[in-house]
Amino acid sequence: MKEKVILAYSGGLDTTAIIPWLKENFDYEVICCCIDCGQGEELDGLEERAKLSGASKLYIENIVDEFCDNYIVPCVQANAIYENKYLLGTAMARPGIAKKLVEIARKEHASAICHGATGKGNDQIRFELGIKALAPDLKIIAPWRMTDLWTLNSREEEIAYCHQHGIDLPFDASQSYSRDRNLWHISHEGLELEDPAQEPDYEHLLVLGVTPEQAPDEGEYITMTFEKGVPVSLNGQTMKVSEIITELNALGGKHGIGIIDIVENRVVGMKSRGVYETPGGTILMEAHQQLEELVLDRATYEVKKEMGNRLSQIVYEGKWFTPLREAVQAFIESTQQYVTGEVKLKLYKGNIIKAGTTSPYSLYSESLASFTTGELYDHHDAEGFINLFGLPLKVRAMKLAETEK
């Protein structure tokens, strides 16, 4: 009886070519597993394609709600943004995918998991760290790193290889952007983006929305409510997180929101340039931050910013299944107890404009903040506070003056 391998299958040219390659070089029974994180129409026709290519079976596992509730929400609560720009769309999805691949491997009694990530990118790290943490006994096969066996170095060669194995597929060798899509975002790499001096060709690049210049001339108001840091309704309608993100994607895309062009530092040490579309996620992050402005005290907010940056690095580096992530997330969750309220925003030509925020736990006091501060604040107290707060500066200045005499 042949050993089984679980192939992380997207339906693209690379993973399609890997199916006959695995059978030819390892004599495995190949079981494909496509994890649905909200790729939409990209999943159409996958079963026929996988079977045509020699797979014995195809699993299509929908984890959209799990992706939203267990991975996206903690990152939103943390305001986890890598290098101040990247909202972790690809990185957040990888631990959920790795977890599901392991589950299918156990169900099928497979001995190995194969992925199509290249040897230059972050995804090989994310997939393999997840698999190692959950199933250290499983073998991992990464064709792109096995240059003695994987000799297909171009789309033309992959297509020719498929044709040699009787696989006639709807792919051509024309160049296109390298993309990764899920419910949270879509990333674009390649072509003119490989040169940081080149402006992105947004007319041909964008998938989820339009540029701010092409957005409507009239803004649009939205309201969102949160309970303990979790979004629960949009424009008065109670929805699941996945439904809120879906609707926000449409609204944000319409108004040219969430397009970023970044040169980021990959885990493997190189810089890479990409354009990310995250329309709904950008709005959701901003709404959550605006609510936290009202609710969190200064000291907690400062430490939370540090923990958010730490979580972004943990997620980016594929270290989701670690004690550190659990500890950081536990701290973040403790800060969300009172992050409840309503946020109103105006969407206009790529901008998210604050239009009013309310919370029953707001720490903002109009009587304190106004010039007529009332009984809680005596202006005379400020003098003593400043004297103590500035004492180190005064002492240092006096000592410097003494030594300069």
Side-chain angles (χ1 to χ4, degrees):
M1 188 174 180
K2 290 184 178 181
E3 289 187 77
K4 296 178 181 179
V5 60
I6 305 300
L7 171 62
Y9 186 63
S10 69
L13 180 56
D14 286 350
T15 53
T16 298
I18 286 173
I19 296 173
W21 180 86
L22 283 169
K23 298 177 69 175
E24 187 174 83
N25 289 279
F26 295 92
D27 195 30
Y28 278 129
E29 177 186 345
V30 180
I31 297 171
C32 291
C33 187
C34 177
I35 314 300
D36 181 6
C37 298
Q39 295 94 308
E41 67 276 2
E42 291 182 11
L43 303 181
D44 294 346
L46 284 197
E47 184 167 4
E48 181 181 357
R49 191 177 307 162
K51 295 286 184 64
L52 177 66
S53 305
S56 64
K57 189 183 299 185
L58 170 68
Y59 285 89
I60 297 181
E61 298 290 306
N62 186 321
I63 65 164
V64 171
D65 285 327
E66 179 184 346
F67 175 41
C68 292
D69 298 339
N70 297 345
Y71 302 97
I72 289 177
V73 166
C75 289
V76 171
Q77 291 178 325
N79 187 34
I81 302 175
Y82 183 70
E83 296 187 338
N84 298 314
K85 284 189 175 182
Y86 174 41
L87 272 61
L88 299 169
T90 298
M92 287 191 299
R94 293 327 189 210
I97 293 173
K99 181 172 178 284
K100 185 58 67 172
L101 290 172
V102 168
E103 289 177 8
I104 298 301
R106 295 305 193 205
K107 179 179 178 179
E108 289 287 344
H109 305 289
S111 58
I113 293 175
C114 177
H115 65 78
T118 72
K120 286 186 175 182
N122 295 314
D123 279 346
Q124 57 180 338
I125 299 168
R126 296 164 180 159
F127 284 136
E128 295 185 31
L129 281 161
I131 295 166
K132 288 178 186 296
L134 299 173
D137 57 302
L138 289 179
K139 182 179 179 181
I140 299 172
I141 300 173
W144 281 95
R145 298 203 304 260
M146 305 173 71
T147 53
D148 54 332
L149 295 176
W150 181 267
T151 58
L152 310 175
N153 297 312
S154 68
R155 290 181 65 84
E156 290 87 353
E157 290 181 3
E158 287 180 316
I159 291 171
Y161 179 80
C162 287
H163 286 164
Q164 290 169 12
H165 290 78
I167 305 168
D168 187 18
L169 296 170
F171 302 122
D172 59 45
S174 63
Q175 283 192 314
S176 63
Y177 296 102
S178 174
R179 292 184 165 109
D180 179 79
R181 182 175 182 175
N182 57 45
L183 186 68
W184 186 247
H185 88 153
I186 186 168
S187 65
H188 311 267
E189 294 179 340
L191 300 186
E192 80 276 1
L193 301 180
E194 293 184 349
D195 181 0
Q198 293 290 320
E199 181 181 5
D201 183 3
Y202 287 119
E203 183 177 345
H204 296 98
L205 182 148
L206 296 179
V207 172
L208 301 182
V210 299
T211 62
E213 294 89 343
Q214 295 172 316
D217 292 331
E218 185 175 341
E220 183 171 357
Y221 287 94
I222 65 168
T223 59
M224 203 181 317
T225 59
F226 291 81
E227 292 181 5
K228 295 186 176 182
V230 180
V232 294
S233 77
L234 177 64
N235 294 332
Q237 298 294 316
T238 300
M239 301 180 185
K240 297 190 299 183
V241 176
S242 59
E243 294 170 335
I244 290 174
I245 294 172
T246 299
E247 184 64 23
L248 287 177
N249 277 335
L251 292 166
K254 172 184 174 183
H255 290 281
I257 288 167
I259 303 167
I260 67 161
D261 180 353
I262 182 175
V263 175
E264 69 194 67
N265 291 292
R266 287 182 178 174
V267 182
V268 293
M270 69 180 71
K271 289 185 180 290
S272 66
R273 195 263 189 111
V275 170
Y276 297 94
E277 294 180 72
T278 320
T282 302
I283 299 169
L284 185 54
M285 284 278 202
E286 180 64 25
H288 181 265
Q289 288 180 66
Q290 289 187 18
L291 188 55
E292 283 193 330
E293 287 178 5
L294 282 185
V295 173
L296 296 186
D297 64 276
R298 178 184 176 186
T300 301
Y301 194 75
E302 287 177 350
V303 176
K304 183 178 176 293
K305 284 170 64 179
E306 296 174 9
M307 291 297 99
N309 287 334
R310 176 58 65 90
L311 185 63
S312 73
Q313 186 172 358
I314 289 169
V315 176
Y316 190 83
E317 294 178 351
K319 297 178 180 177
W320 185 272
F321 300 107
T322 61
L324 178 59
R325 191 273 305 168
E326 293 174 2
V328 171
Q329 187 174 334
F331 169 81
I332 296 297
E333 288 177 352
S334 74
T335 69
Q336 300 300 294
Q337 183 177 359
Y338 301 110
V339 184
T340 294
E342 182 177 274
V343 181
K344 186 177 181 181
L345 306 165
K346 182 180 181 181
L347 312 179
Y348 178 68
K349 288 191 174 295
N351 296 290
I352 305 171
I353 303 167
K354 186 183 295 188
T357 311
T358 60
S359 170
Y361 305 107
S362 172
L363 299 181
Y364 179 87
S365 168
E366 186 175 351
S367 63
L368 276 175
S370 67
F371 287 101
T372 56
T373 52
E375 296 181 358
L376 283 177
Y377 193 96
D378 187 333
H379 286 278
H380 297 96
D381 293 339
E383 183 177 354
F385 169 75
I386 294 169
N387 286 336
L388 294 177
F389 196 62
L391 185 61
L393 300 176
K394 185 175 181 177
V395 171
R396 180 176 183 274
M398 292 170 63
K399 289 296 182 181
L400 288 175
E402 288 179 10
T403 58
E404 291 172 0
K405 287 181 180 179

